[in-house]
Amino acid sequence: MSGTEVKPRLVRCPGCGGDSVYATSNPYRPFCCERCKNLDIGAWAAEHFRVPAEAPPDEQPFGDPRLQ
Ligand SMILES: [Zn+2]
């Protein structure tokens, strides 16, 4: 029985769903590569900084001066 064996832990890459080495040798963990990490950050930013493309129209139910 070997108590010193250290196996690299494999996790699922959130970017591509593939195997990713979760160890200090992988600076992009839990992603498998730099590309996946950048993709995820881009998606996160898009989700958090999303702003409405159009402002809601001003509704003026009683605002027409011609009716007064
Ligand atoms: Zn990946």
Side-chain angles (χ1 to χ4, degrees), residues 35-52:
R35 190 173 70 92
C36 285
K37 185 175 184 178
N38 288 337
L39 279 176
D40 190 76
I41 291 176
W44 180 90
E47 188 72 19
H48 276 255
F49 297 106
R50 182 173 52 197
V51 294

Side-chain angles (χ1 to χ4, degrees), residues 7-44:
K7 290 184 179 180
R9 183 181 166 198
L10 286 179
V11 297
R12 187 167 144 153
C13 171
C16 67
D19 287 338
S20 170
V21 179
Y22 196 83
T24 53
S25 61
N26 177 11
Y28 310 115
R29 64 188 183 280
F31 303 94
C32 68
C33 61
E34 184 177 11
R35 190 173 70 92
C36 285
K37 185 175 184 178
N38 288 337
L39 279 176
D40 190 76
I41 291 176
W44 180 90

